[in-house]
């Protein structure tokens, strides 16, 4: 088959959604091979090892190809027909509703589901099941940044500018992100930044491969990023670096935020964070003196019980220096999961309806209910956040439908969550592989993968993309949309749940119209023509006008519209240009001003003490992804990253009496994990690091603290107190 037959599509993993093409091979063991796609602007043909080996998970050797139902006789999962499996799921959900009420049924989604799936899953939960108990694993990813974005700017989109702007700014502060490991193709944006004369500051307790590229590396103690940002803002004020004109004309709330920052003396911040004061001053000078600048955060500052305030403090730094709402400047969140952005925009989050509308907003409820053809009062209210939902399993939530997530590995306090899943009356899982969570289910439904289905994704820039079907799925596999269509029919909803993705997207467009995340002006054809379309993109009338991205003029739900103007202009037609750059004229608040939010430093939910004297922080490695359910089935990736490890400083290793490769037990108040030692000076002596991709005795999330941010309900993955113990030499 020639290269010309390769189908242009996108990588199934992170939120870069790198462009690639797939060429079918006709070989069941490896049904497709990757062909470089250099025309897509985000990665320009570059792929990491995960992307290049992604077709390996399509192999019949590693994926599910038929439904499984748990045998009442043996307790084992055994093959079943689709009719039997869907009937079993419908019966389990129906029986639970009848016995315990609709909120006894929970739904748990994933940040890797397409927009069409996320939209349909939220609709299915609220209409067919009538439950409020729906959330998704994106709550564990960027919910704190989303909340802070909303508080400050009135709108949450991961990056308010395209990635192409990063190399052209003057200074980037990268907080709690290791792009070299998590999004390798994006590292070139930082390389180009430096080639253009820009400066890079990396904030990370580890000297990662990304930190090695920095002009300045700040290594604070985990959980002290909030104090660091406040100390920098204090110095900005003290050294006269505040952009007074910007603060006066485009913001509100400055005096309160200023007072909070001024109570954090630099010497105090040095004691809290461990970052020497001269480095703090150098960082302020680099950022403050740059004509343009950006702060980009990731999971480091966000996955904390004070993550929303921490991100808010970095946003305050941008606003005070006039580095927001201007070209080549701003705050951005580097979204992690493939559709983490779109997944939270269209209804699988506990408090949201499609178009990023609030579930408790009467106008939003009326608009979406009108699209769905139901009374607004029939829609349930907001439900529990992700961890709270998982913690309720086996209690008042008795049955769970789970799609696209593996919480046995990925959830905080993972052993407890595994126990909650085991306590359910009924568990149904739709997945492409038999994950650790699927292995606990009463029914497992094998679903299509990225290469076998068409659907849209929204990457970290807010660019809506089209992943095209390149392969015919195995005969025993159905799409998630087909699953929900079948279940809806069995539960009495013959209409309203189409299985055709473009039909779903057309309804999603109507449901989102006039909302903050307005997709009404986007179509499959347009995405293909333009290499993706940035939301908000309302469907506009004829004539010439400025692309404001407000959604006004659609005639629907203007009470929830945003004000997110850009300088791009529509000429000679009705097509809105989309909104690559937000906030250039005004912010999405009622008065158009960005809001300073006053914050103060507070300790992590769990501090070290004599019994647990070391801080554990968790993260990722380049050759595995999230819970590893898919990447751990790829030989090449396993060869590069075969298992968990404990990264610790030589002084800690010496005190403990362990050598490189010796097994170390990491013990917290929630459990114990064991993995080989990796000894390095690249980490602080008071900190240890574990990657979280593995199950079994090396499961890092067994240890972490589920303490929740009071605003975002994000668990504190990045900070918990532990002690270390020798566990003996590793054995084969």
């Amino acid at each position: 088959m020639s290269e010309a037959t390769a189908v242009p599509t996108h990588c199934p993993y992170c939120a870069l959604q790198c462009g690639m093409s797939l060429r079918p091979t006709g070989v069941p063991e490896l049904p497709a091979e990757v062909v470089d796609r250099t025309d897509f602007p985000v990665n320009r043909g570059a792929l990491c090892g995960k992307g290049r080996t992604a077709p390996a998970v399509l192999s019949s050797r590693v994926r599910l190809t038929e439904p499984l139902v748990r045998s009442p006789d043996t307790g084992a999962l055994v093959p079943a027909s689709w009719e039997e499996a869907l009937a079993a799921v419908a019966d389990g959900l129906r029986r639970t509703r009848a016995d315990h009420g609709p909120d006894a049924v929970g739904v748990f989604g994933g940040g890797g589901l397409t927009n069409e799936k996320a939209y349909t899953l939220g609709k299915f939960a609220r209409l067919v099941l009538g439950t409020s108990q729906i959330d998704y694993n994106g709550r564990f990813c960027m919910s704190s940044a989303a909340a802070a974005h909303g508080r400050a700017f009135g709108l949450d989109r991961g990056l308010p500018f395209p990635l192409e702007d990063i190399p052209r700014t003057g200074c980037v502060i990268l907080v709690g992100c290791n792009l070299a490991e998590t999004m390798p193709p994006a590292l070139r944006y930082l390389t180009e930044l430096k080639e253009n004369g820009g400066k890079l500051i990396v904030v990370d307790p580890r000297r990662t491969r990304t930190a090695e590229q920095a002009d300045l590396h700040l290594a604070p103690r985990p959980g002290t990023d909030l104090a660091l940002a406040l100390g920098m803002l204090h110095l900005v004020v003290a050294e006269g670096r505040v952009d007074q004109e910007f603060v006066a004309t485009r913001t509100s709330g400055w005096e309160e935020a200023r007072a909070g920052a001024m109570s954090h003396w630099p010497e105090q911040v040095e004691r809290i964070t461990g970052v020497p004061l001269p480095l703090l001053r150098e960082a302020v000078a680099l950022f403050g003196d740059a004509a343009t600048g950006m702060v980009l955060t990731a999971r480091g500052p966000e996955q904390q019980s004070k993550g929303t305030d921490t991100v808010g403090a970095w946003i305050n730094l941008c606003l005070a220096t006039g580095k927001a709402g201007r070209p080549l400047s701003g705050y951005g969140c580097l979204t992690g999961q493939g559709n983490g952005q779109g997944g939270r925009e269209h209804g699988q989050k506990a408090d949201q309806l499609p178009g990023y509308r609030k579930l408790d907003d009467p106008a939003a409820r009326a608009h979406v209910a009108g699209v769905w053809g139901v009374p607004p009062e029939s829609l349930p209210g907001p439900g529990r956040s992700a961890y709270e939902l998982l913690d309720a399993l086996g209690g008042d939530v008795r049955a769970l439908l789970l799609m696209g997530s593996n919480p046995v590995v990925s959830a905080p306090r993972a052993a407890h969550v595994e126990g909650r899943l085991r306590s359910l009356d009924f568990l149904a899982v739709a997945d492409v592989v038999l994950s650790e969570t699927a292995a606990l289910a009463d029914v497992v439904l094998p679903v299509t993968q990225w290469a076998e289905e068409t659907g849209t994704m929204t990457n970290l820039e807010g660019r809506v993309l089209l992943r095209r079907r390149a392969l015919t799925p195995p005969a025993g596999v159905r799409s998630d949309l087909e699953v929900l269509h079948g279940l809806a029919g069995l539960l009495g909803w013959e209409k309203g749940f189409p299985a055709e993705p473009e039909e779903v997207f057309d309804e999603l467009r109507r449901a989102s119209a006039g909302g903050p995340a307005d997709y009404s002006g986007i179509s499959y054809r347009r995405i293909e023509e333009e290499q993706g379309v940035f939301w908000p993109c309302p469907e506009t009338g004829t004539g010439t006008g400025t692309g404001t991205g407000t959604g006004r003029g659609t005639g629907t739900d203007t009470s929830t519209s945003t004000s997110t103007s850009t300088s791009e202009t529509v000429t000679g037609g009705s097509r809105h240009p989309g909104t690559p750059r937000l906030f250039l004229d005004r912010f999405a608040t009622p008065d158009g001003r960005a809001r300073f939010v006053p914050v103060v430093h507070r300790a992590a939910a769990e501090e070290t003490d004599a019994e647990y004297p070391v801080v554990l922080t968790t993260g990722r490695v380049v050759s595995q992804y999230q819970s590893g359910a898919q990447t751990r089935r790829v030989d090449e990736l396993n060869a590069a990253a075969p298992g968990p490890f404990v990264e610790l400083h030589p002084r800690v290793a010496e005190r403990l009496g362990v050598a490189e490769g010796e097994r170390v037990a990491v013990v917290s108040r929630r459990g114990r994990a064991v993995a080989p030692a990796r000894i390095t000076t690249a980490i602080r002596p008071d900190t240890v690091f574990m990657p979280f991709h593995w199950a079994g005795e090396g499961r890092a999330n067994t240890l972490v603290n589920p303490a929740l941010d009071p605003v975002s309900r994000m668990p504190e993955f990045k900070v918990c107190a532990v002690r270390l113990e020798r566990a003996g030499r590793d054995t084969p």
Side-chain angles (χ1 to χ4, degrees), residues 208-339:
T208 63
R209 288 173 52 206
T210 307
E212 289 173 355
Q213 309 299 312
D215 297 283
L216 180 64
H217 173 214
L218 308 180
R221 189 172 188 264
T224 64
D225 318 74
L226 176 52
L228 183 72
L230 286 163
M232 290 182 66
L233 183 54
H234 181 113
L235 288 172
V236 163
V237 175
E239 296 175 2
R241 299 180 186 275
V242 176
D243 187 328
Q244 300 288 357
E245 188 273 338
F246 180 87
V247 168
T249 60
R250 296 204 59 195
T251 73
S252 62
W254 165 236
E255 289 304 323
E256 294 83 357
R258 179 187 182 279
M262 297 312 288
S263 68
H264 293 74
W265 292 93
E267 294 80 6
Q268 175 196 20
V269 169
E270 181 181 50
R271 288 194 300 273
I272 293 170
T273 65
V275 175
L277 181 53
L279 295 185
L280 198 65
R281 292 187 184 279
E282 184 179 355
V284 169
L286 287 174
F287 191 68
D289 290 347
T292 55
M294 299 173 180
V295 174
L296 306 177
T297 68
R299 306 302 80 76
E302 297 163 19
Q303 288 181 325
Q304 299 184 31
S305 61
K306 53 181 182 293
T308 303
D309 283 356
T310 301
V311 173
W314 290 107
I315 291 175
N316 286 349
L317 181 67
C318 289
L319 295 175
T321 54
K323 293 181 173 65
R326 288 174 168 171
L328 306 182
S329 291
Y331 162 78
C333 162
L334 294 164
T335 302
Q337 294 187 83
N339 201 33

Side-chain angles (χ1 to χ4, degrees), residues 398-415:
R398 310 293 290 269
L400 183 69
L401 173 63
L402 187 147
M403 285 185 159
S405 186
N406 187 19
V408 166
V409 178
S410 63
R413 199 183 172 196

Side-chain angles (χ1 to χ4, degrees), residues 518 520-522 526 530 533-541 543 545-552 564-566 568-571 573-580:
D518 191 331
S520 60
I522 305 174
R526 183 172 175 187
E530 301 180 20
V533 181
F534 292 84
W535 70 262
C537 183
E539 188 171 30
T540 62
T546 301
T548 65
T550 63
R552 302 184 195 280
T564 54
S565 68
T566 121
E568 300 178 51
T569 302
V570 189
T571 57
S574 62
R575 176 176 282 188
H576 188 282
T579 316

Side-chain angles (χ1 to χ4, degrees), residues 666-680:
V666 185
V667 184
S668 77
R669 290 177 174 88
R670 288 153 294 282
R672 183 175 190 265
V674 179
R678 184 173 293 184
I679 301 171
T680 175

Side-chain angles (χ1 to χ4, degrees), residues 321-520:
T321 54
K323 293 181 173 65
R326 288 174 168 171
L328 306 182
S329 291
Y331 162 78
C333 162
L334 294 164
T335 302
Q337 294 187 83
N339 201 33
Q341 180 71 54
R344 69 181 183 267
E345 293 168 3
H346 296 301
Q348 65 171 334
K349 194 162 172 273
D351 56 349
Q352 284 177 196
L353 288 169
Y356 226 142
R357 290 180 163 91
K358 288 294 184 184
L359 187 55
D360 56 4
D361 177 359
R365 293 170 66 88
H367 172 77
V368 175
V371 173
W372 289 350
V374 299
E377 60 272 16
S378 70
L379 300 179
R384 294 179 172 94
S385 69
Y387 179 76
E388 292 166 305
L389 173 56
L390 294 173
D391 190 42
L393 300 181
D396 58 355
V397 179
R398 310 293 290 269
L400 183 69
L401 173 63
L402 187 147
M403 285 185 159
S405 186
N406 187 19
V408 166
V409 178
S410 63
R413 199 183 172 196
H416 171 74
V417 169
E418 180 179 347
R420 295 290 83 214
L421 285 160
R422 291 181 182 276
S423 71
L424 284 166
D425 295 344
F426 181 78
L427 172 63
V429 174
D431 210 332
V432 300
V433 296
L434 190 66
S435 69
E436 287 77 12
T437 303
L440 303 181
D442 296 285
V443 181
V444 181
L445 303 173
V447 292
T448 50
Q449 299 189 52
W450 57 288
E452 301 162 346
E453 58 188 16
T454 294
T456 59
M457 307 284 280
T458 305
N459 81 345
L460 76 173
E461 306 167 293
R463 187 194 302 253
V464 184
L465 306 166
L466 184 64
R467 286 203 318 209
R468 300 165 182 84
R469 174 171 165 162
L471 302 171
T472 301
V477 171
R478 297 185 184 181
S479 73
D480 297 273
L481 292 179
E482 289 173 320
V483 168
L484 293 171
H485 171 81
L487 289 175
L490 291 172
L491 293 169
W493 289 75
E494 297 295 336
K495 296 181 179 180
F497 292 87
E500 172 56 43
E502 191 165 8
E503 187 178 348
V504 176
F505 189 76
D506 285 343
E507 181 179 303
L508 181 157
R509 293 170 60 196
R510 298 196 304 274
S512 74
D518 191 331
Y519 282 34
S520 60

Side-chain angles (χ1 to χ4, degrees), residues 13-204:
Y13 292 116
C14 81
L16 281 181
Q17 285 297 287
C18 290
M20 60 163 64
S21 291
L22 283 183
R23 183 168 56 205
T25 65
V27 179
E29 290 73 23
L30 191 64
E33 60 184 0
V34 172
V35 177
D36 288 346
R37 179 184 168 192
T38 58
D39 65 324
F40 186 61
V42 170
N43 62 308
R44 302 180 209 158
L47 292 170
C48 71
K50 295 187 292 292
R52 291 205 172 274
T53 61
V57 187
L58 299 166
S59 169
S60 56
R61 181 175 61 87
V62 300
R63 55 103 51 86
L64 292 166
T65 57
E66 58 186 347
L68 303 173
V69 174
R70 195 164 298 281
S71 168
D73 300 322
T74 66
L77 287 170
V78 298
S81 70
W82 269 99
E83 290 70 23
E84 292 171 324
L86 288 177
V89 176
D91 183 62
L93 301 178
R94 184 189 298 111
R95 187 174 59 248
T96 303
R97 274 177 47 93
D99 292 346
H100 304 286
D103 275 355
V105 180
V107 176
F108 199 84
L113 300 179
T114 64
N115 289 316
E116 293 81 357
K117 295 177 185 178
Y119 171 83
T120 304
L121 189 62
K123 181 180 179 182
F124 179 87
R126 295 182 173 103
L127 294 194
V128 178
L129 300 177
T131 183
S132 67
Q133 301 302 301
I134 175 173
D135 211 73
Y136 82 128
N137 62 16
R139 178 79 69 169
F140 299 157
C141 192
M142 50 276 166
S143 57
S144 292
H149 246 139
R151 292 199 309 191
F153 306 135
L155 180 72
D156 159 47
R157 196 179 84 187
L159 294 181
F161 41 73
L163 285 161
E164 66 185 40
D165 286 1
I166 293 175
R168 299 189 291 142
T169 194
C171 182
V172 169
I173 303 178
L174 189 64
V175 187
C177 177
N178 182 10
L179 278 181
E181 301 268 347
T182 59
M183 295 179 175
L187 193 63
R188 70 173 174 81
Y189 291 104
L190 302 182
T191 302
E192 291 173 9
L193 168 77
K194 297 187 66 177
E195 290 172 349
N196 292 339
K199 299 299 182 182
L200 174 63
I201 302 168
V202 171
V203 179
D204 198 306

Side-chain angles (χ1 to χ4, degrees), residues 628-668:
Q630 296 181 49
T631 52
R632 285 188 275 117
R633 288 166 166 80
V634 179
D635 292 341
E636 183 178 330
L637 299 178
N638 283 333
F645 57 86
V646 181
E647 188 177 276
L648 63 163
H649 193 275
R651 281 189 290 186
V652 178
E654 183 179 3
R655 286 199 304 268
L656 193 60
V658 298
E660 179 78 15
E662 215 172 340
R663 284 157 51 86
V664 175
V666 185
V667 184
S668 77

